[in-house]
Amino acid sequence: MIRSTGKMATISMAALLSVLAVSCGESKVSQCNKLIEVANKAVSEVQAVTASAQPQDVTAMTKIADTADAATAEMQALELADESLKGYQQRFVTMYTDTSKATRELVDAVGKKDSAAAEASFTALQAATSQESGLVGEVNTYCGAGG
């Protein structure tokens, strides 16, 4: 009888330790939510700026670059343990960095009335932002998968 009580205590202790270990680490769902929250915030802020902006609105373009810079900083600040999410995080950082750089170069080119530079910057901006849809889809698929 004493042996079985000892085994029960050992099993109970092991169960308790596993619960504590799981609760100490952030879940995949929690980490996904943090990543998605930053990405959604960036999209919302850009949409708010572009909703009323004119195509050649330098102030709006600068706000978009500022939003991309802020999203870069917020995304980099996320502490993620999940290796796949870290990969998505880095891809978002790269996309936001490229978006900001291309947008600022576009603003500069428009200010200088340099159509060739503006066209090159616009192409770079399109390349940077074209990654978003696929990346968001991958994150949604990964985060929607179990466990």
Side-chain angles (χ1 to χ4, degrees):
M1 189 80 170
I2 293 173
R3 283 187 175 173
S4 73
T5 304
K7 286 181 183 176
M8 286 303 288
T10 301
I11 292 170
S12 295
M13 183 59 77
L16 176 63
L17 289 175
S18 67
V19 167
L20 289 174
V22 169
S23 65
C24 289
E26 253 186 315
S27 71
K28 174 183 165 184
V29 171
S30 174
Q31 292 177 66
C32 281
N33 288 341
K34 286 181 175 183
L35 185 93
I36 291 167
E37 183 180 325
V38 172
N40 285 343
K41 180 180 175 190
V43 168
S44 295
E45 289 178 7
V46 168
Q47 286 175 339
V49 171
T50 59
S52 60
Q54 299 299 317
Q56 294 283 328
D57 187 345
V58 173
T59 303
M61 287 190 277
T62 300
K63 286 181 184 176
I64 290 169
D66 292 344
T67 298
D69 289 341
T72 298
E74 287 182 52
M75 192 62 76
Q76 285 176 321
L78 293 178
E79 293 185 17
L80 304 173
D82 184 287
E83 289 303 317
S84 293
L85 289 176
K86 284 181 181 181
Y88 295 131
Q89 175 187 29
Q90 187 53 52
R91 288 172 59 194
F92 271 111
V93 166
T94 300
M95 181 184 71
Y96 295 145
T97 301
D98 292 349
T99 297
S100 174
K101 181 177 185 273
T103 302
R104 291 189 192 287
E105 288 172 354
L106 181 58
V107 167
D108 187 51
V110 168
K112 292 178 179 176
K113 299 186 184 333
D114 183 343
S115 60
E119 189 173 322
S121 299
F122 184 70
T123 300
L125 180 59
Q126 286 179 312
T129 58
S130 70
Q131 303 169 48
E132 184 182 33
S133 179
L135 181 54
V136 167
E138 288 179 48
V139 169
N140 286 338
T141 298
Y142 180 75
C143 289

